[in-house]
Amino acid sequence: MTASTAKADINSGASVRRPGPQIIRPDCFAHVVAQPKNAFAATDSELLTLDRLRWLAMRACLRGQEDIEKACFLLAGADEESFERFGMVFFSTLRSHGRHGLAFHRPGASVLGPDEIWVLRLLRSVGDPHMLSRMVAWHVEPRAQRWFRFLANGLARLA
C-alpha cells in the first residue's frame, strides 16, 4: 500500500483504500488546511472612508503632476486641514512615485481590492511608526517615502 492510495485510520488502525492520488492530512493539522478566512475585516467607518478615497483617486487622475515637497509644505502650513487636499496629494504622490500601479474599485463597490486593503491597513498603522515605514516602503519610491508618511498621517487624522 502506498501513501497515495491509502489513508491510515488513526482511530482503528485499519487502512482505507481510495482510488486515485490522495493527499494524506493528519487530523491534528485540520486547522492548517482549512479554508483560509478573510484576515481583513473593514469597519463601517473604514468603508465610508474608502468610498471617499475612491472618489479622490478618480479625481487625482485628472490632475497634473505636483511637486510633492511643495505640496506637503503647503499642507503643513495651511490654517485649515482638509481630507480632500491630503487625499489629492496622497494619490498624486502614489501615481508619480509609486513602485507599481494602484488599482481601486469604483465608488460604491462592495468588494475590496488588494490595494484598497493596503490603504486601509496603512491608515490603521499610523500609530506604529515602524509598521507605517514598512508599508510605505512596499509601495513608494525611497525619495518620496518621508513625505508619503506625512500624507498618510494627515489622512488618518482627518478620516
Side-chain angles (χ1 to χ4, degrees):
M1 229 181 277
T2 65
S4 63
T5 60
K7 179 180 178 184
D9 186 5
I10 297 172
N11 295 334
S12 66
S15 298
V16 179
R17 283 193 177 264
R18 295 197 176 133
Q22 300 239 339
I23 299 172
I24 298 175
R25 295 184 179 113
D27 292 332
C28 60
F29 289 109
H31 67 283
V32 176
V33 294
Q35 288 287 15
K37 295 179 182 173
N38 187 3
F40 184 82
T43 64
D44 290 337
S45 64
E46 286 177 331
L47 291 175
L48 288 173
T49 300
L50 179 63
D51 208 37
R52 291 172 66 194
L53 289 172
R54 287 172 174 166
W55 281 108
L56 292 174
M58 286 182 4
R59 286 181 48 203
C61 289
L62 300 174
R63 294 181 73 180
Q65 297 291 341
E66 291 185 69
D67 180 18
I68 185 172
E69 288 185 33
K70 182 179 177 182
C72 288
F73 278 127
L74 289 173
L75 285 172
D79 292 337
E80 292 184 19
E81 294 181 324
S82 165
F83 181 81
E84 286 74 24
R85 290 180 65 196
F86 270 91
M88 294 295 284
V89 178
F90 180 88
F91 286 111
S92 176
T93 301
L94 269 179
R95 194 170 48 136
S96 59
H97 297 288
R99 294 185 188 267
H100 49 80
L102 188 71
F104 265 51
H105 291 287
R106 63 173 175 73
S110 60
V111 294
L112 297 175
D115 292 327
E116 295 169 333
I117 291 172
W118 173 78
V119 169
L120 290 177
R121 284 185 171 159
L122 181 75
L123 296 180
R124 277 186 185 177
S125 69
V126 169
D128 182 7
H130 298 293
M131 180 59 83
L132 181 65
S133 294
R134 285 189 292 259
M135 291 186 74
V136 168
W138 180 259
H139 275 277
V140 181
E141 295 173 346
R143 64 181 176 179
Q145 289 176 4
R146 176 177 165 231
W147 297 113
F148 196 78
R149 286 191 304 267
F150 166 75
L151 294 170
N153 277 317
L155 271 180
R157 186 177 62 248
L158 297 171

